[in-house]
Amino acid sequence: MKRSTFLLGAAALALTACAGAPPAPTLGADGKPLPKVYRISSADTGRIQFRMLDSINALRQASGAPAVELNARLNAAAATHARDMSVQNRPWHFGSDGSSPITRVQRAGYSGRLVGEAISETYETELETLGAWMETPSTRAILLDPTAREMGFSWFQESNGKIWWNLVLGTPEGTGFTPVNAPS
């Protein structure tokens, strides 16, 4: 009996040794674990866009602002600029052709008024990016702007995993606000 208990214990110890310790996380220069690459496939598009929409609407509701809806034309403008930021290799609000966010939403066929744009260059998820936007007063003001009624959200992911996020908010025509393409 003692021999079988000993053999069983030895076998368990051997299996534990084979499993080894979990690999240590790779650390950056700051001593913190390096982030894991967040890979996005084309099948994830709807899920990510609606997760961002739901999250933004929860934040807007908490601040007393009305909900926004996804708008296909604003999504197109956001996608175009996300790719263009990657080409330029810099996160900024102007296109490689000098276009402004207003010009890009017009080109996408949006006839409402641009409320604002939030951009990011990161390896983080959409919700981590939203958290960073909410910590910055200027982007927080755009996301919670009570005049916004529509949202476009898209991204471009490079082969190395870097993601260029773009979120555009607008107000449709007929809501009492001057559209972006109205004559001055």
Side-chain angles (χ1 to χ4, degrees):
M1 184 75 161
K2 289 183 182 182
R3 184 175 180 185
S4 63
T5 304
F6 174 76
L7 290 175
L8 187 59
L13 185 60
L15 285 174
T16 304
C18 290
T26 306
L27 302 178
D30 59 359
K32 294 181 181 177
L34 292 174
K36 294 181 181 177
V37 175
Y38 178 60
R39 290 280 175 200
I40 303 171
S41 74
S42 59
D44 296 328
T45 300
R47 182 179 51 80
I48 290 172
Q49 284 179 324
F50 282 103
R51 185 176 349 180
M52 181 63 91
L53 177 68
D54 291 344
S55 299
I56 286 179
N57 279 334
L59 293 167
R60 290 176 62 82
Q61 180 182 19
S63 74
V68 294
E69 296 178 356
L70 279 174
N71 177 283
R73 291 184 174 164
L74 291 177
N75 283 341
T80 300
H81 191 56
R83 181 176 292 275
D84 191 47
M85 286 189 295
S86 171
V87 168
Q88 295 180 73
N89 196 31
R90 64 179 170 178
W92 78 320
H93 295 282
F94 294 95
S96 56
D97 61 356
S99 62
S100 70
I102 293 171
T103 304
R104 288 191 301 277
V105 299
Q106 287 174 342
R107 285 181 188 164
Y110 187 69
S111 59
R113 180 183 65 87
L114 174 74
V115 171
E117 175 180 65
I119 59 174
S120 181
E121 166 198 19
T122 186
Y123 292 90
E124 295 179 330
T125 69
E126 66 278 4
L127 296 181
E128 290 169 318
T129 301
L130 176 58
W133 285 339
M134 288 299 289
E135 290 177 8
T136 305
S138 59
T139 52
R140 180 184 179 89
I142 291 167
L143 298 173
L144 301 179
D145 188 309
T147 65
R149 297 293 186 276
E150 296 177 319
M151 178 182 101
F153 178 64
S154 195
W155 57 89
F156 178 76
Q157 186 167 36
E158 296 178 355
S159 60
N160 66 4
K162 183 189 293 184
I163 306 169
W164 301 85
W165 298 104
N166 186 271
L167 184 138
V168 184
L169 291 171
T171 299
E173 283 186 287
T175 56
F177 300 103
T178 307
V180 292
N181 57 356
S184 344

